[in-house]
């Protein structure tokens, strides 16, 4: 975790942030001359800005959970883990056909 504290709020720079309009901001890995992390948005026309400027003009900034690697077959994995019953087991339980 790469942390940066601004106005008493700790920001995890390894994650993304959404502003109040839903624009997604990500750390570029660079720092401003004032040692502030530079953020770039998913809007091509917006230039990179220091986090305090983004926070002031576009904030608050809401952390976005990182996407997880998609699983091959989430339903099959849930059945294998015993979390869900199969269609066949459901049909047998209710006396119907799958």
């Amino acid at each position: 975790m790469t942390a940066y504290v601004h106005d008493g709020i700790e920001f995890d720079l390894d994650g993304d942030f959404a502003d109040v309009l839903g624009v997604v901001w990500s750390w570029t890995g660079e720092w401003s001359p004032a040692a502030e992390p530079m953020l770039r948005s998913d809007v091509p026309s917006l230039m990179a800005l220091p986090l305090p400027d983004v926070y002031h003009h576009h904030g608050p900034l809401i952390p976005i959970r990182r996407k997880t690697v998609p699983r091959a077959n989430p339903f099959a994995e849930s059945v294998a883990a015993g979390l869900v019953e199969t269609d066949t087991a459901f049909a047998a339980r209710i006396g119907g056909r799958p």
Side-chain angles (χ1 to χ4, degrees), residues 31-36 38:
W31 300 87
S32 73
E36 300 164 332
M38 297 296 291

Side-chain angles (χ1 to χ4, degrees), residues 1-4 10-18 24-29 37-40 51 61-67:
M1 176 174 140
T2 306
Y4 177 78
E10 184 176 278
F11 292 89
D12 178 5
L13 300 178
D14 296 329
D16 296 330
F17 306 95
V24 176
W25 294 86
S26 304
W27 182 41
T28 64
M38 297 296 291
L39 301 182
R40 175 162 294 136
L51 184 144
L61 297 177
I62 304 153
I64 299 174
R65 186 185 312 180
R66 291 259 178 201
K67 292 182 180 177

